[in-house]
Amino acid sequence: MTVPPHARGYDGFPGRVGRTAGESEPWWPDVPAPRRGAPNIVVVLADDLGYSDIGPFGAEVPTPTLDRLAARGYRFSNYHTTPVCSPARAALMTGVNPHRAGFASVANSDPGFPGLTLELGDDVVTLPEALREAGYATYMVGKWHLTRDAQMNDAGRRRSWPVQRGFDRYYGTLEGLNSFFAPNRLIRDNSPVDLTDYPDDYYLTDDLTDEAIGMIRSLRASDDRPFFLYFAHHAMHGPLGAPAATLARHRGRYDAGWDHLRESRFARQIASGLFPDGTRLPPRNPEPGLDVPAWSDLPAEQRSLLARYMEVYAAMVENVDQNLGRLLAAIDAYGELDNTIVVFTSDNGGTAEGGPAGTRSYFSQFVHVAGLPGTWERDTPLDPDLIGGPRAMVHYPRGWGMASNTPFRLYKGNTFAGGVRVPFVLSWPAGLPRGADDTGLRTQYQYVTDLYPTLLDLAGVERPAARQGVPVLDLDGAAFTSVARSADAPSTHPEQYAEWGGQRGHYRDGWKLLTLHEPGTPYDDGEWQLFDVTADPTEIHDVSAAHPELTRDLAAAWEHAAWHNTVFPLTDASGRLNVRRPAESALSRPLTLYPGTPTLERYRSSKLIALRDVDIEIHADLTSGEGVLVSHGDQGGGYVLYVEDGRLRLDWNAYGTLHELDAGPVPAARTLLLRLKALPEFRWHVSLEADGTERAALPDVAMLVGMAPWTGISIARDAGGPVSWPLHTRHRTFPFTGTLHHVRYVPGPPAPYAQGRVHEATRAATEIYE
């Protein structure tokens, strides 16, 4: 029977349709399937891990899992990445240079230029999208950081969230950093996990590994197709923290200091062949604001404190290796480890963000707000025994970041090797077996964009030419499969530009042009430095004066590459790359929260209080019941208002310093007012009122600015990381048992010193609602 012309829904059906099933022939579309024997792929990306921080690259930290991977696979000693995290992740995920992918910087701004869209566009196809189209199962755990912070809330567009960009399943956080003991806003697939309280033994890296193993086991219970797992660690990004048992094993290991650590790591690097004899270890970083003193010049008491920070960092590295061992053991249980490509690397080098002396109050140090007074306190004098645990938000001093990047100069954020040259281990015994005479060392220059085409090549997968009907950008990376197979093969990536925050660089065939740009100053070709990194891999000798023509040639090449890759505009003193889109003004309108509202996302919450006056109205029947009325923040800073034992109390956490205020007996008033009044120099007057009467006050306290409070607003409980450790010890989340009607935030005008930090259009739009 022929389908009549007026029938609908049968067009293009290759089978045959009659009036009855017996007269019809079925047809099924082909399901994408990987080639026979296609490997699993596991990419492990550490965060802020320096070149020398794992055993195969010179570390003293026990990393037996990585040692075994390197022994069976390959160490790429000349692998480069971007200076900071989001650009590196965008380049890895797309094979496209970071500025072209829209990530000239981290996903925590929105200045309105093509290289700073800070969301993955429709014209780039991600690695999981390409692999999923070829039939792979695609999973991710950990740090995403490829979504603008203004789109991380529950009403945000999810077009640049992991599941929308190719992952079948996701578990982790969209943020660029997190607490390891009480992470802010875990996401499962497309929804926040409403985890009210964390177990006492919770640790984020362990949790992520459990989830990754669960994803693999779930797949294998139903299917034998290969999988791609992207494990993006939050470790080693601050605030640092480690499991107590692991931390205990590192006590006293770093008492000899960072100078000794650099020298011992460098000796192991030379002995293992990472660098040729004659390579020199540079002096300690001397640059102003990046400089490191001699360890022996520090007072003994200070050395004792500073060593604690490195103990925490080393324990975190060991924990990452332990969890990688658990993950690979789970794969091995299925007999699939030999046919699994495993890559381990870092997004950028070790950091200087802990400042010269480290910090026990991470969010007052890592604040990123211009104009803070010189009196701003960047460390809270907590008991040193708390360093590394859940009650202190810590980061190491930059001397340990320098040691992390041994043997290179400078840090994350710089285009010098300390910021962009990181460890890289590749293992695939079934597909890239090591020959008997092969040391496994690869010294060719390769770049982060190369990993994408390399993995597709090894898996036998073609990159799609379009995504949802949109032609995709051409690749900037080049597969280095030939380099993996032969130590004698030439680099597949002979030239590459670099830029972040005005720091510039250009590599070509063993020559490297670099700047150490002073923020806010004019861009001058006189700031270029030239290094012959074949003879001088640690970038000690500036030879620009001896090679003026080559310097000019590479400077011109950088300029051409910058226009070709959407690098401009560069940051300058105008501040125009620090603005936000006007639509964000809606996040500062008054907001009413009702019981049952999930914890408000961190950035959304911050827009209600940041750099301004704010009234927080609590409407409740306080004559019965007790518990938390409203909480905002965690051990890194915040506030919690609660009723306990018939008394009204306010605990204010000032970056680790806790103020416990007793506001007296529970008032008969049904409305309370917690008022934050902006004072000069980024400070608040905090008062708690009932029926217009002040019941408690903090006359002068540092504003919670930047990324503090880290945990968002909760009502009727203190969910997530606790603001007040004593209250947490007594009652955990302490849900309110009385009647809470609602909590209303009424933002007032920005403080005078905030005016220059708010885009004019944004401020005008904001004033409509204030």
Side-chain angles (χ1 to χ4, degrees):
M1 174 182 177
T2 301
V3 176
H6 63 272
R8 296 192 294 183
Y10 302 102
D11 294 345
F13 179 65
R16 183 163 57 89
V17 176
R19 294 190 70 252
T20 66
E23 299 171 308
S24 306
E25 294 291 338
W27 173 86
W28 296 271
D30 291 334
V31 176
R35 65 173 172 81
R36 184 177 180 83
N40 302 316
I41 302 171
V42 175
V43 173
V44 182
L45 184 69
D47 195 336
D48 291 2
L49 181 86
Y51 188 86
S52 71
D53 283 335
I54 61 175
F57 283 77
E60 71 298 327
V61 182
T63 56
T65 305
L66 287 167
D67 294 346
R68 288 192 295 270
L69 284 176
R72 301 179 71 192
Y74 304 90
R75 292 179 299 163
F76 283 68
S77 66
N78 200 7
Y79 173 83
H80 286 64
T81 180
T82 72
V84 292
C85 44
S86 294
R89 293 159 200 275
L92 189 156
M93 281 287 102
T94 66
V96 171
N97 281 330
H99 297 76
R100 292 183 70 215
F103 283 87
S105 190
V106 295
N108 295 89
S109 63
D110 189 14
F113 291 101
L116 280 159
T117 59
L118 303 176
E119 288 194 311
L120 295 173
D122 293 332
D123 58 355
V124 290
V125 60
T126 67
L127 183 57
E129 286 171 336
L131 290 168
R132 185 165 68 180
E133 190 165 315
Y136 271 73
T138 55
Y139 303 136
M140 179 184 172
V141 296
K143 168 179 169 175
W144 179 236
H145 211 199
L146 293 176
T147 297
R148 284 191 296 112
D149 48 16
Q151 294 297 331
M152 294 190 302
N153 61 70
D154 289 341
R157 296 188 307 163
R158 287 162 166 78
R159 60 189 299 271
S160 195
W161 285 32
V163 170
Q164 277 68 24
R165 295 313 308 232
F167 289 104
D168 297 332
R169 296 179 62 185
Y170 169 69
Y171 180 82
T173 65
L174 305 178
E175 293 275 15
L177 56 99
N178 227 314
S179 164
F180 287 87
F181 303 103
N184 164 37
R185 195 172 170 83
L186 288 166
I187 300 291
R188 187 182 301 281
D189 300 329
N190 263 344
S191 301
V193 178
D194 190 20
L195 184 59
T196 300
D197 196 12
Y198 288 92
D200 288 339
D201 62 350
Y202 180 89
Y203 189 68
L204 178 59
T205 308
D206 298 343
D207 184 22
L208 296 176
T209 305
D210 290 343
E211 289 285 335
I213 292 171
M215 291 175 182
I216 293 168
R217 287 178 174 164
S218 178
L219 175 68
R220 285 295 170 262
S222 302
D223 199 345
D224 61 357
R225 63 185 168 131
F227 62 83
F228 168 55
L229 171 65
Y230 175 40
F231 196 135
H233 280 281
H234 285 82
M236 312 300 295
H237 202 294
L240 307 179
T246 310
L247 178 55
R249 289 197 290 272
H250 293 271
R251 287 292 185 216
R253 184 188 289 269
Y254 298 98
D255 290 352
W258 46 62
D259 293 325
H260 175 268
L261 184 63
R262 286 181 82 216
E263 292 165 1
S264 62
R265 287 187 173 186
F266 184 54
R268 283 189 289 271
Q269 290 172 337
I270 294 293
S272 71
L274 286 170
F275 301 97
D277 291 337
T279 302
R280 290 181 53 203
L281 183 66
R284 285 181 299 276
N285 293 327
E287 294 79 3
L290 301 171
D291 56 307
V292 176
W295 183 261
S296 59
D297 289 347
L298 300 173
E301 183 178 355
Q302 186 180 15
R303 293 200 302 263
S304 176
L305 173 64
L306 300 186
R308 290 288 186 100
Y309 294 113
M310 189 60 193
E311 293 168 2
V312 179
Y313 185 86
M316 294 175 70
V317 174
E318 182 180 357
N319 177 266
V320 165
D321 187 84
Q322 290 169 340
N323 277 294
L324 179 58
R326 288 203 298 131
L327 174 65
L328 299 185
I331 298 172
D332 197 27
Y334 294 102
E336 299 179 21
L337 187 56
D338 279 359
N339 196 32
T340 297
I341 300 169
V342 181
V343 171
F344 181 93
T345 188
S346 179
D347 60 351
N348 47 248
T351 181
E353 69 189 32
T359 184
R360 287 158 285 185
S361 50
Y362 180 78
F363 291 111
S364 67
Q365 164 64 23
F366 190 64
V367 68
H368 296 315
V369 173
L372 290 178
T375 56
W376 185 265
E377 295 183 2
R378 296 181 179 272
D379 184 28
T380 298
L382 299 175
D383 185 339
D385 287 341
L386 298 180
I387 290 175
R391 295 179 60 185
M393 298 282 194
V394 308
H395 210 306
Y396 62 49
R398 60 182 177 242
W400 295 123
M402 177 186 66
S404 173
N405 296 329
T406 302
F408 303 123
R409 295 172 55 193
L410 300 177
Y411 317 91
K412 170 186 177 179
N414 299 120
T415 51
F416 280 74
V420 299
R421 196 162 167 179
V422 293
F424 187 97
V425 176
L426 169 66
S427 174
W428 183 24
L432 292 171
R434 278 256 301 267
D437 298 327
D438 191 341
T439 66
L441 183 64
R442 299 294 184 263
T443 61
Q444 296 89 329
Y445 178 98
Q446 300 295 157
Y447 187 63
V448 60
T449 53
D450 301 337
L451 184 56
Y452 178 112
T454 300
L455 293 175
L456 293 187
D457 184 43
L458 294 175
V461 171
E462 293 289 331
R463 179 178 182 250
R467 179 183 182 272
Q468 298 179 1
V470 177
V472 298
L473 300 179
D474 56 303
L475 283 177
D476 294 308
F480 53 78
T481 310
S482 59
V483 174
R485 296 193 186 281
S486 172
D488 298 324
S491 166
T492 62
H493 203 118
E495 189 163 3
Q496 177 64 39
Y497 82 94
E499 189 277 334
W500 181 77
Q503 307 297 327
R504 296 176 288 164
H506 200 85
Y507 171 87
R508 181 195 289 167
D509 291 330
W511 293 94
K512 196 172 177 185
L513 196 68
L514 296 169
T515 69
L516 190 58
H517 182 71
E518 182 67 27
T521 62
Y523 291 93
D524 182 349
D525 279 351
E527 68 183 358
W528 287 115
Q529 301 178 54
L530 180 66
F531 299 92
D532 176 359
V533 292
T534 301
D536 178 24
T538 53
E539 301 167 357
I540 297 175
H541 303 292
D542 175 13
V543 295
S544 57
H547 300 277
E549 291 187 9
L550 179 59
T551 300
R552 285 192 294 270
D553 183 33
L554 291 178
W558 182 90
E559 187 82 9
H560 180 273
W563 283 113
H564 192 60
N565 287 281
T566 330
V567 172
F568 296 113
L570 299 175
T571 185
D572 60 13
S574 70
R576 289 181 180 174
L577 293 190
N578 298 323
V579 301
R580 295 277 184 161
R581 68 176 62 194
E584 281 198 27
S585 62
L587 301 180
S588 298
R589 302 177 192 176
L591 176 68
T592 301
L593 298 170
Y594 293 93
T597 303
T599 300
L600 201 63
E601 183 269 327
R602 185 269 308 172
Y603 184 74
R604 174 72 184 93
S605 298
S606 75
K607 299 304 289 182
L608 298 170
I609 71 168
L611 299 172
R612 64 174 68 242
D613 296 348
V614 60
D615 286 349
I616 306 169
E617 303 168 358
I618 298 94
H619 300 264
D621 180 359
L622 303 178
T623 58
S624 64
E626 65 174 11
V628 169
L629 299 168
V630 61
S631 68
H632 186 186
D634 46 44
Q635 286 293 282
Y639 51 91
V640 55
L641 180 66
Y642 59 100
V643 175
E644 182 185 36
D645 297 333
R647 303 187 73 82
L648 182 64
R649 300 180 183 274
L650 173 66
D651 287 4
W652 187 279
N653 188 320
Y655 299 108
T657 297
L658 186 66
H659 302 273
E660 298 175 280
L661 306 182
D662 186 341
V666 171
R670 298 177 66 86
T671 300
L672 304 175
L673 179 61
L674 180 59
R675 173 166 287 170
L676 314 182
K677 179 66 176 176
L679 301 176
E681 296 194 325
F682 298 88
R683 303 189 74 81
W684 270 320
H685 178 282
V686 178
S687 62
L688 177 59
E689 301 176 7
D691 282 338
T693 302
E694 185 176 280
R695 301 287 295 268
L698 275 173
D700 187 350
V701 68
M703 276 185 171
L704 298 169
V705 294
M707 289 188 167
W710 180 245
T711 298
I713 299 166
S714 295
I715 65 170
R717 59 180 181 168
D718 185 10
V723 172
S724 170
W725 196 262
L727 179 63
H728 175 74
T729 301
R730 295 194 301 270
H731 299 292
R732 307 296 291 192
T733 59
F734 204 20
F736 187 62
T737 58
T739 301
L740 175 63
H741 300 294
H742 62 265
V743 175
R744 182 168 175 79
Y745 278 73
V746 184
Y753 41 80
Q755 297 298 322
R757 295 166 183 82
V758 181
H759 190 273
E760 291 296 327
T762 303
R763 184 168 66 247
T766 302
E767 290 170 353
I768 295 173
Y769 301 103
E770 294 179 341

